[in-house]
Amino acid sequence: MPDYIHRADKAIAQPAFRILAYWPAGLGDPAVAAGLASIFDIFVEQYRKDLAFIIVADEERAFEGKEVDDPLLDDARHWLAAGPKDWPATARVFGTHSDINDEITVPSFRVEQYADLAVMDISVPDDPEIAVVLSDKITEILKTMPTLYAVMGMGFFLPMALESLDTYMPRGFVRYKTALEFMADGPRWCIGKDIGNSFWDEFPEATDGFVDIGWRTMLGAYYLPRLGAVSIDAEGVTVEQTDDMLTVTAGPEPIWGDVNKDEDISAYTAVAAALAPARASLRPMLNGLFGNQVDDPDGNDRLEEWYERYED
């Protein structure tokens, strides 16, 4: 198992299996609300004994952490299913404090309503067998929702108290090639020109798009015209495509792509190449995928290396 990512002597980002998903329709869309309630049920069923704290906040509820109990979990589930939420609004459930850095730990479930986008970040212990079962259940629900982009795979979880350190990321990819390292809100700057505030007029040649592939990558109808009928001739890769959704899985279970163990990432490389026409340009990512890196030469170089890590 990978170690935490450290900044100086501080352990900041915990290794985890991550599931991230994005809906421009927002929490008010009935399919989004119903889907998130069902996903929450799956998460709680799997990880109830490991949950310690909960926050449900909106215009009427203060942002206040509470110790988890079953009535509060039921309340969160009903909140998710209830539909429209004004920005900002959030539901978060997570594990106890770590002995390593005294920050919250996985498992973590987080849903956010921004002004123009709803996002979900599920980060859980990196057990590949459990990850596959969890992902398969959640994937079926995501297919019933107006999902723009979802990605699943091994990665690093930065707790909310340390999210100001997002500009220190990504770091793990140097050894762990397949790691998902961006924070939940980072893709707002890249996944659609009508989403976020990426100053698109400053780079008119740039394209919007998804930000990274994972073990499983799901792309909604907005991106599909750029790809046509997708066929990937690589061992272990499966492709499921409809008019509304493309789902690509790189192998039977997620891996870290550990270069020290010479793990074979050829399936991921093949997926990255096939989906490249729908990926966002690097330039808008500098504006916010890992915080603002525009004026940081080291950050520019690091993001370029990360961006190109699947290229031959």
Side-chain angles (χ1 to χ4, degrees):
M1 176 179 174
D3 191 7
Y4 274 69
I5 291 177
H6 287 71
R7 182 176 183 268
D9 294 331
K10 172 77 170 179
I12 61 169
Q14 182 183 8
F17 179 79
R18 303 186 67 202
I19 302 175
L20 300 110
Y22 299 85
W23 301 278
L27 299 183
D29 184 280
V32 175
L36 282 171
S38 296
I39 291 171
F40 186 74
D41 287 342
I42 292 168
F43 173 83
V44 171
E45 180 181 11
Q46 179 65 50
Y47 296 107
R48 173 63 185 93
K49 66 181 178 60
D50 301 312
L51 302 177
F53 301 102
I54 186 169
I55 298 170
V56 177
D58 55 26
E59 284 193 332
E60 298 178 356
R61 300 177 182 228
F63 189 91
E64 178 184 1
K66 300 177 181 179
E67 292 187 4
V68 161
D69 60 28
D70 290 338
L72 287 175
L73 289 170
D74 289 342
D75 176 65
R77 200 261 185 208
H78 289 303
W79 185 90
L80 289 166
K85 306 287 187 299
D86 291 328
W87 173 79
T90 187
R92 308 179 187 188
V93 188
F94 36 87
T96 188
H97 285 87
S98 169
D99 294 334
I100 296 174
N101 64 358
D102 199 32
E103 302 291 345
I104 61 168
T105 61
V106 301
S108 168
F109 174 98
R110 175 180 176 182
V111 165
E112 299 278 346
Q113 175 66 64
Y114 295 101
D116 46 19
L117 187 70
V119 311
M120 179 187 77
D121 180 350
I122 295 175
S123 296
V124 298
D126 61 335
D127 181 315
E129 293 185 7
I130 294 176
V132 169
V133 174
L134 184 73
S135 297
D136 287 348
K137 292 177 180 178
I138 292 175
T139 295
E140 292 307 306
I141 298 171
L142 291 174
K143 291 176 183 177
T144 71
M145 304 165 72
T147 304
L148 174 63
Y149 167 51
V151 64
M152 311 176 187
M154 298 304 186
F156 291 93
F157 166 75
L158 191 66
M160 61 182 184
L162 300 180
E163 286 187 344
S164 62
L165 299 179
D166 58 355
T167 54
Y168 186 74
M169 308 290 280
R171 298 282 175 168
F173 74 94
V174 176
R175 175 173 175 179
Y176 302 105
K177 291 295 185 182
T178 67
L180 297 171
E181 299 192 66
F182 57 88
M183 303 303 103
D185 65 333
R188 289 183 64 231
W189 298 82
C190 317
I191 56 177
K193 290 189 177 182
D194 295 330
I195 300 169
N197 183 17
S198 283
F199 305 101
W200 289 97
D201 58 329
E202 296 181 6
F203 29 85
E205 301 302 317
T207 59
D208 59 5
F210 76 93
V211 299
D212 201 7
I213 67 149
W215 166 68
R216 178 167 293 156
T217 308
M218 303 178 71
L219 302 180
Y222 177 71
Y223 300 127
L224 300 189
R226 308 184 202 178
L227 297 170
V230 175
S231 177
I232 304 176
D233 184 16
E235 184 176 356
V237 175
T238 61
V239 178
E240 180 183 346
Q241 188 166 5
T242 68
D243 291 341
D244 299 319
M245 183 73 66
L246 172 68
T247 303
V248 182
T249 306
E253 64 180 30
I255 63 171
W256 282 97
D258 187 345
V259 298
N260 288 5
K261 296 181 179 178
D262 199 27
E263 283 192 296
D264 179 10
I265 64 167
S266 57
Y268 289 74
T269 300
V271 171
L275 302 188
R279 193 182 188 193
S281 302
L282 174 61
R283 179 59 185 82
M285 295 186 186
L286 296 174
N287 274 49
L289 182 59
F290 295 99
N292 191 328
Q293 306 271 8
V294 172
D295 297 321
D296 179 359
D298 291 338
N300 274 240
D301 291 345
R302 190 171 67 256
L303 261 66
E304 183 175 5
E305 183 182 356
W306 165 83
Y307 187 87
E308 297 175 351
R309 72 193 191 280
Y310 289 120
E311 296 181 11
D312 293 333

